[in-house]
Amino acid sequence: MNQHKDAVMKWMHQGVLASAAVLCSTASWAQAAIEAVTGSIQGGAEVVRIDLSEPMASVPNGFATQSPARIALDFPGAINAMGRSAVEVNQGNLKSVNVVQAGGRSRVVLNLKQPTTYRAELQGKAVLIQLDPVAAVAAAQAPQAAVFAESGHSDVLPIKDVDFRRGADGAGRVVIGLANNQVGVDLRQQGKGLTVEFIRSSLPEGLRRRLDVADFGTPIQSVTTTQQGDKVRMVIEPVGEWEHSAYQSDNQFVVEVRQKKVDLNKLTQGPGYSTEKLSLNFQNIDLRSLLAVFADFTNINIVTSDTVTGAMTLRLQDVPWDQALQIIMEAKGLGMRKTGNVLWIAPKDEIDERMKKDFEAAQTIQKLEPLRTQAFQLNYAKAVDMVAQITSTSGSSGSTSNRFLSERGTAIAEPRTNQIFVTDTPTKLEEVRQLLASLDVPVRQVMIEARIVEASDTFGRSLGVRLGATDLRANRGGDGGYGSHGGNRIGFGTNYSNTVASTGAGGLVTNPLGNFVNLPAQALGGYDPSSFAISIFNSAANRFLNLEISALEADGKGKVVSSPRVVTADQTKAEIEQGTEFPYPVTAPNGATVIAFKKAVLRLEVLPQITPEGNIIMDLTVNKDSPGEILQNVRAINTKRIKTQVLVENGGTVVIGGIFEIEESEGDTKVPFLGDVPVVGNLFKTTNKESKKREMLVFITPKVITDRVSVR
């Protein structure tokens, strides 16, 4: 906190600060006129000399502001006799001097380059104002704590209350109830927190506590109040980037901590205050004179009602003037009504009563005002729809209530010429014209392109053998079979009949090509496997050993791309479909069988909405159906469907969904035990392996049509 504002208050005349009568009354001042204002440098110090026609009774009262850097001094009962209101100086820290006369007083405003303190003294008919050097002021302020208000009593007085509130803008507000308006306050920032000390004060036992206020959602996390000798110390601990302000109204002291806004593109952040900051210190100042101070500082015309009376004690330090004005009005129950650049300030009840009378008068005039009929030509919107927008039916009795028209107003639509005829007062007709101008605009269009990609990857492998033997010796007059121990013989065959015939016991070999093992490779993808066969036989061609090896490997990849496109208006549903309808029998309620049709189509349904930022919100439904196998003479429909809502930037592409399937199978068919023999077991089994992968992805690309866009 800056010390120069407090130094300004220290140098004010004690008698002026002590009573509002001295500050505000013009009767205590002799009639005087400001004749000249000059600036000079005397002994290295800047001095402003104000010459008057009559000597002053005491040093004029004044106040200082930091941003902009100004010093203002009030001369009650004085007039401006210079013939001009501005004096250009441009010397040292002083840029110019303005003299403003209002009512029975004049104000001298020193426009500075940098904030500083001053000293004022009387010298005959002149008032000398000495400006302190800016460097000296900064050096004097550096080691000192920021004193918000000096103590005006010698006794130790108790603190009445400590409360915490959350402001409408998310600011944390610590409210302290003081014993009176003379309690001294030191306010300074230490480390990451704020320290407030109340001079010559005591803290009751019930208020010596730590308030945990983190759940209120403000920058303040805790407030700790303790007793330190004859002072009460309060430590406020905020978090994040924050800024603070403090003000006192009578016996209530308030410290407000709010989140610091860093967005440089905005003049003001949310409901915060953005006006120039000022510092004021007044003791029992007349309320009307205080409002006049704000009028002079802000250059805003303020009209104060005659019912505004009373006085107040006010201490402000680096507070925006609009916030300070709001504090004053809330403390005194005042209201404000703004018309152009004029502010009317009066008790809130008076303002409310006046506004009520104005509204009642306006309503009465509206009921008596003559009606007019005006036609409105619509270019893009439908007249029937617009009439439905400005009128509606409501009420339990079914009466008609106009939404935008007066009680006597009516509206009809003429579809042939697309016009609306409205009968109402001239004021309402103007409102309807502005409304229709906002609604009757071309609707933006959106082109939505969907790409449905289906990919498949298949792989299959099959290995198998055929193994057989034939012995035809017995059928051809020889000895069948093979000799064994003791003159016995053994015959072999692929089945019982062939075995009996090969031994010569009777019969013929019915199937010379029979197999011991018949496990060939399986067909894949509609193709038969390849085979290789070998036969071993003797020179008489009556004994055969046959072997066939078959193998097949299939590898396939497929890709299907479907790309439906549709153009539609903003917030208008559109759909497109293409495919086949298949008939299938349905039993009617009377028991008869009728033919119905079921669609197997590619379908895109979309409802777009263009956001103010230019992005697009879409309600999407995508169907990709295909004919399936026939079951019980009825064709099945394979369905793939996605329904969702997405937000996509203009011209961007998003994957809204997909389906991935994988199917793997392996199988062995073999002769028990023999198929398990290493190496040789491959002659007694067949091996099958199959893998299928299928994937579907849906891509969506919306584009807002600004120029002419063709759908290819």
Side-chain angles (χ1 to χ4, degrees), residues 471-478 480 498 500-504 506-510:
D471 188 359
L472 300 177
R473 291 179 294 172
N475 292 139
R476 296 179 178 180
N498 288 347
V500 173
S502 67
T503 61
L508 299 175
V509 177
T510 57

Side-chain angles (χ1 to χ4, degrees), residues 415-570:
R416 187 177 61 86
T417 58
N418 202 36
Q419 286 183 308
I420 295 178
F421 296 89
V422 182
T423 301
D424 212 324
T425 63
T427 303
K428 285 295 182 179
L429 290 177
E430 178 62 20
E431 294 179 0
V432 171
R433 186 194 65 79
Q434 296 177 0
L435 176 64
L436 294 179
S438 301
L439 298 178
D440 188 27
V441 295
V443 181
R444 290 183 292 179
Q445 293 183 313
V446 185
M447 182 180 70
I448 298 95
E449 178 183 2
R451 292 188 299 277
I452 305 171
V453 181
E454 294 181 281
S456 62
D457 188 357
T458 61
F459 176 79
R461 178 184 294 168
S462 180
L463 298 175
V465 297
R466 288 183 180 180
L467 179 63
T470 304
D471 188 359
L472 300 177
R473 291 179 294 172
N475 292 139
R476 296 179 178 180
D479 295 331
Y482 299 90
S484 88
H485 181 71
N488 298 319
R489 302 181 69 84
I490 300 175
F492 297 94
T494 56
N495 54 46
Y496 181 78
S497 299
N498 288 347
T499 302
V500 173
S502 67
T503 61
L508 299 175
V509 177
T510 57
N511 186 9
L513 300 179
N515 300 312
F516 294 121
V517 179
N518 188 14
L519 298 174
Q522 303 295 321
L524 297 174
Y527 295 93
D528 295 328
S530 300
S531 60
F532 174 78
I534 184 173
S535 179
I536 301 176
F537 55 94
N538 61 352
S539 58
N542 52 18
R543 287 180 292 176
F544 300 87
L545 179 62
N546 304 318
L547 176 65
E548 180 186 79
I549 299 176
S550 57
L552 179 63
E553 182 174 301
D555 190 2
K557 291 180 171 50
K559 182 178 180 181
V560 179
V561 179
S562 305
S563 184
R565 301 182 184 181
V566 65
V567 178
T568 182
D570 184 24

Side-chain angles (χ1 to χ4, degrees), residues 129 346 360 387 551 555 579-580 652 672:
I129 303 171
E360 290 176 349
V387 170
D555 190 2
T580 307

Side-chain angles (χ1 to χ4, degrees), residues 157-466:
L157 302 177
I159 300 293
K160 293 183 178 181
D161 189 26
V162 178
D163 192 14
F164 179 84
R165 302 170 187 174
R166 186 182 188 276
D169 57 347
R173 187 176 299 167
V174 183
V175 183
I176 301 97
L178 306 178
N180 54 40
N181 56 16
Q182 301 296 320
V183 177
V185 181
D186 290 348
L187 176 64
R188 61 184 180 272
Q189 183 174 346
Q190 288 186 337
K192 297 182 179 180
L194 284 174
T195 300
V196 187
E197 291 184 349
F198 301 93
I199 312 301
R200 296 186 181 92
S201 300
S202 63
L203 187 66
E205 289 293 337
L207 300 179
R208 299 183 183 182
R209 61 182 185 269
R210 181 179 184 271
L211 300 178
D212 188 354
V213 295
D215 294 339
F216 284 83
T218 70
I220 300 178
Q221 300 297 296
S222 64
V223 180
T224 305
T225 311
T226 58
Q227 184 75 49
Q228 301 286 336
D230 63 345
K231 299 187 247 183
V232 174
R233 175 173 292 180
M234 175 180 291
V235 179
I236 302 173
E237 298 179 2
V239 295
E241 296 292 331
W242 53 271
E243 57 185 3
H244 75 280
S245 62
Y247 61 88
Q248 181 178 345
S249 177
D250 293 332
N251 62 343
Q252 189 179 76
F253 182 80
V254 180
V255 180
E256 191 172 279
V257 180
R258 66 185 62 85
Q259 194 75 29
K260 182 181 291 185
K261 307 298 184 180
V262 295
D263 189 358
L264 302 179
N265 296 324
K266 295 184 179 179
L267 181 61
T268 178
Q269 304 296 324
Y273 303 96
S274 61
T275 57
E276 299 175 352
K277 296 182 178 181
L278 55 75
S279 298
L280 299 175
N281 188 350
F282 292 111
Q283 300 287 335
N284 296 323
I285 184 176
D286 181 72
L287 193 57
R288 299 175 65 87
S289 299
L290 181 59
L291 294 176
V293 171
F294 280 93
D296 294 337
F297 179 79
T298 60
N299 294 324
I300 295 179
N301 301 316
I302 296 180
V303 179
T304 306
S305 174
D306 295 337
T307 55
V308 177
T309 58
M312 70 180 302
T313 297
L314 185 67
R315 296 171 183 166
L316 300 174
Q317 185 172 342
D318 290 339
V319 179
W321 70 261
D322 53 350
Q323 183 184 11
L325 183 60
Q326 186 68 29
I327 292 171
I328 295 172
M329 292 192 298
E330 290 179 355
K332 295 299 181 181
L334 303 177
M336 177 179 64
R337 186 175 181 181
K338 185 176 182 181
T339 304
N341 63 341
V342 178
L343 292 179
W344 177 47
I345 297 178
K348 195 173 187 326
D349 295 340
E350 181 180 341
I351 291 181
D352 294 342
E353 184 66 23
R354 179 69 63 84
M355 294 179 64
K356 180 180 178 181
K357 292 182 179 180
D358 293 343
F359 292 151
E360 290 176 349
Q363 189 174 11
T364 303
I365 293 174
Q366 187 182 66
K367 293 180 179 180
L368 301 176
E369 192 175 3
L371 302 180
R372 291 175 49 195
T373 300
Q374 185 173 346
F376 299 94
Q377 179 67 55
L378 302 182
N379 299 321
Y380 303 99
K382 294 182 179 180
V384 177
D385 296 339
M386 289 295 99
V387 170
Q389 290 291 329
I390 63 177
T391 62
S392 64
T393 57
S394 62
S396 57
S397 62
S399 59
T400 301
S401 172
N402 297 331
R403 298 176 59 187
F404 297 98
L405 306 179
S406 64
E407 296 179 355
R408 300 184 296 159
T410 58
I412 61 173
E414 208 291 303
R416 187 177 61 86
T417 58
N418 202 36
Q419 286 183 308
I420 295 178
F421 296 89
V422 182
T423 301
D424 212 324
T425 63
T427 303
K428 285 295 182 179
L429 290 177
E430 178 62 20
E431 294 179 0
V432 171
R433 186 194 65 79
Q434 296 177 0
L435 176 64
L436 294 179
S438 301
L439 298 178
D440 188 27
V441 295
V443 181
R444 290 183 292 179
Q445 293 183 313
V446 185
M447 182 180 70
I448 298 95
E449 178 183 2
R451 292 188 299 277
I452 305 171
V453 181
E454 294 181 281
S456 62
D457 188 357
T458 61
F459 176 79
R461 178 184 294 168
S462 180
L463 298 175
V465 297
R466 288 183 180 180

Side-chain angles (χ1 to χ4, degrees), residues 515-645:
N515 300 312
F516 294 121
V517 179
N518 188 14
L519 298 174
Q522 303 295 321
L524 297 174
Y527 295 93
D528 295 328
S530 300
S531 60
F532 174 78
I534 184 173
S535 179
I536 301 176
F537 55 94
N538 61 352
S539 58
N542 52 18
R543 287 180 292 176
F544 300 87
L545 179 62
N546 304 318
L547 176 65
E548 180 186 79
I549 299 176
S550 57
L552 179 63
E553 182 174 301
D555 190 2
K557 291 180 171 50
K559 182 178 180 181
V560 179
V561 179
S562 305
S563 184
R565 301 182 184 181
V566 65
V567 178
T568 182
D570 184 24
Q571 301 190 38
T572 302
K573 181 183 291 187
E575 61 181 56
I576 184 174
E577 65 179 22
Q578 181 255 335
T580 307
E581 292 187 358
F582 293 93
Y584 63 98
V586 177
T587 302
N590 58 2
T593 301
V594 297
I595 301 298
F597 290 87
K598 187 174 183 180
K599 294 181 178 180
V601 297
L602 170 64
R603 183 170 179 267
L604 171 65
E605 180 182 308
V606 60
L607 176 61
Q609 176 186 347
I610 304 175
T611 66
E613 297 82 6
N615 300 328
I616 304 171
I617 300 175
M618 296 176 290
D619 293 324
L620 287 163
T621 301
V622 181
N623 282 77
K624 183 66 170 68
D625 301 336
S626 60
E629 59 183 342
I630 298 177
L631 302 174
Q632 299 180 355
N633 297 324
V634 177
R635 183 173 294 276
I637 304 298
N638 299 326
T639 300
K640 297 177 181 177
R641 184 170 182 262
I642 296 177
K643 184 177 182 180
T644 185
Q645 182 184 80

